[in-house]
């Protein structure tokens, strides 16, 4: 046979693939596959290393958010009316222990003097009234005397109390009414008292409770302010405040409750800077913290006998623990 026919029939002339030739190629492909796998594994590991801290941080944040170190307190349930009444009566009992000497802080010797002094106390202090009334009552000791007064002369006597012209008109009017309609005597009924010029429910209750022993609630600025701070009521109108408080306490407590609340408002629970840190009823007060809570600083805010200062009366009751107020012009 001729040697020129080197390939087998049907071949193209290209060398045939042998086992030896295909093996290196398979090895190379496997190496590439392995390298790719190693690269992918490395990338996965790198991604895991990168994201792990982030996941841990997120987990810590979620843990703090869901489980705070100090759980927030659940909002307090609204106080029921019964609970408020019990708290209000306890406040009254506590104040009775703090101010066993509570009393009207106007000097008077009879119902007429108390009526006139209460009318004069509008828009001024009881102290200034007490410093003014000695001269007034020396000049006009009875309703008949006062009804006959010369207006200009009375105005000069009561000028220190402020609004002296309007107050003179009220005093002259109520004195004439007492002379003409009540035989020169102050009536002991609310309906009669509020008919007198310049006399409202507050003044009438002061006179009834302290000159006649008839229970009454005195809703002055101090009383109204404190009962709202104590959440007994949110009413602003004095008549409505009186009605609400009258439903909380027995009638026998009305007069002394008024004195205790007013005493506390003047001495401790002031309008602008209440002495919360020195308040004896702080645990019962829902408004605690509106004023100074530091005990030492709060102690410096106390007034009158609580702060070692003179009271408002020139002639206080015998059991008053403080010192009498000075007369007008003294000191």
């Amino acid at each position: 046979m001729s040697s020129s026919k080197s390939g087998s029939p049907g071949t193209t002339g290209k060398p045939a693939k042998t086992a030896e030739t295909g093996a290196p190629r398979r090895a190379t492909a496997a190496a590439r596959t392995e390298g790719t796998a190693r690269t992918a594994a490395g990338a996965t590991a790198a991604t895991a290393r990168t994201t792990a801290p982030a996941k841990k941080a997120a987990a810590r944040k979620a843990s703090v958010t869901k489980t705070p170190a100090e759980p927030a307190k659940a909002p307090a349930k609204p106080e029921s009316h019964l609970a408020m009444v019990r708290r209000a009566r306890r406040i009254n009992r506590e104040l009775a222990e703090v101010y066993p000497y509570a009393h009207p802080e106007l000097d008077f010797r009879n119902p007429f003097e108390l009526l006139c002094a209460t009318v004069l106390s509008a828009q001024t202090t009881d102290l200034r009234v007490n410093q003014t009334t000695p001269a007034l009552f020396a000049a006009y000791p009875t309703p008949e005397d006062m009804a006959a007064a010369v207006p200009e002369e009375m105005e000069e006597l009561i000028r220190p109390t402020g609004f002296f012209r309007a107050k003179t008109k009220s005093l002259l009017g109520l004195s004439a009414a007492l002379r003409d309609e009540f035989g020169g005597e102050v009536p002991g009924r609310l309906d009669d008292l509020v008919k007198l010029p310049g006399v409202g429910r507050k003044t009438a209750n002061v006179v009834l409770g302290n000159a006649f022993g008839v229970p009454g609630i005195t809703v002055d600025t101090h009383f109204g302010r404190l009962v709202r701070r104590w959440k007994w009521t949110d009413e602003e109108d004095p008549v409505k405040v009186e009605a609400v408080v009258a439903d909380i306490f027995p009638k026998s407590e009305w007069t002394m409750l008024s004195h205790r609340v007013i005493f506390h408002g003047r001495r401790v629970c002031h309008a602008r800077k209440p002495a919360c840190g020195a308040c004896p009823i702080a645990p019962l007060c829902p408004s605690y913290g509106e004023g100074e809570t530091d005990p030492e600083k709060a102690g410096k805010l106390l007034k009158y006998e609580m702060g070692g200062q003179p009271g408002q009366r020139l002639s206080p009751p015998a059991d008053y623990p403080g010192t009498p107020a000075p007369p007008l012009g003294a000191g």
Side-chain angles (χ1 to χ4, degrees):
M1 293 181 66
S2 174
S3 60
S4 61
K5 294 179 181 179
S6 57
S8 58
T11 61
T12 59
K14 293 181 180 180
K17 291 182 179 179
T18 64
E20 290 80 2
T21 304
R25 291 181 180 177
R26 288 194 297 271
T28 302
R32 284 199 300 269
T33 301
E34 183 181 353
T36 301
R38 283 198 302 269
T39 301
T44 302
T47 301
R49 287 193 299 272
T50 303
T51 58
K55 289 182 178 179
K56 290 181 179 179
R60 285 196 299 270
K61 184 177 181 181
S63 175
V64 170
T65 302
K66 294 178 181 178
T67 310
E70 295 182 3
K73 295 182 179 179
K77 293 182 180 179
E79 186 178 42
S80 68
H81 179 73
L82 178 59
M84 181 276 291
V85 169
R86 288 174 174 170
R87 180 172 57 83
R89 292 182 176 183
R90 185 176 173 189
I91 286 175
N92 182 42
R93 292 194 298 271
E94 295 284 342
L95 293 180
E97 294 183 6
V98 176
Y99 308 110
Y101 51 87
H103 58 272
E105 295 192 88
L106 290 170
D107 287 330
F108 69 97
R109 294 170 295 184
N110 54 58
F112 175 65
E113 289 189 354
L114 179 58
L115 177 61
C116 293
T118 307
V119 170
L120 290 175
S121 69
Q123 304 298 316
T124 190
T125 64
D126 286 358
L127 170 60
R128 184 50 56 93
V129 173
N130 292 334
Q131 292 173 327
T132 303
T133 49
L136 176 70
F137 296 141
Y140 316 112
T142 68
E144 291 81 2
D145 295 325
M146 189 171 287
V150 177
E152 292 76 14
E153 295 177 358
M154 182 181 289
E155 287 175 2
E156 286 305 309
L157 289 174
I158 66 172
R159 182 184 290 269
T161 67
F163 302 95
F164 55 90
R165 291 190 178 89
K167 291 178 181 180
T168 294
K169 184 177 180 181
S170 293
L171 292 180
L172 290 173
L174 71 85
S175 297
L178 292 177
R179 178 196 61 194
D180 300 338
E181 300 176 29
F182 298 99
E185 300 291 334
V186 176
R189 294 192 330 124
L190 179 68
D191 292 344
D192 292 332
L193 285 169
V194 296
K195 292 177 182 177
L196 299 173
V199 178
R201 287 186 67 89
K202 184 197 83 169
T203 297
N205 281 327
V206 169
V207 174
L208 290 174
N210 298 284
F212 293 100
V214 177
I217 296 174
T218 303
V219 184
D220 69 352
T221 55
H222 300 289
F223 191 96
R225 174 168 50 82
L226 265 62
V227 299
R228 284 187 287 273
R229 273 185 179 166
W230 294 335
K231 310 301 182 187
W232 295 0
T233 180
D234 57 3
E235 296 287 355
E236 296 282 346
D237 180 76
V239 176
K240 292 181 179 179
V241 171
E242 180 185 341
V244 170
V245 177
D247 285 338
I248 297 174
F249 296 91
K251 196 171 184 178
S252 59
E253 287 290 317
W254 290 357
T255 299
M256 288 309 301
L257 169 72
S258 300
H259 292 322
R260 293 163 191 155
V261 173
I262 294 170
F263 255 58
H264 193 64
R266 286 174 171 169
R267 286 151 178 78
V268 179
C269 196
H270 312 131
R272 295 183 180 178
K273 291 185 177 181
C276 294
C279 180
I281 60 167
L284 300 171
C285 181
S287 299
Y288 175 80
E290 287 187 6
E292 180 58 64
T293 57
D294 179 81
E296 184 175 353
K297 293 180 181 179
K300 296 178 180 179
L301 299 174
L302 300 178
K303 298 290 183 68
Y304 304 114
E305 76 282 356
M306 301 288 283
Q309 303 159 353
Q312 298 202 87
R313 293 189 67 167
L314 278 64
S315 301
D319 62 344
Y320 179 65
T323 57
L328 190 66

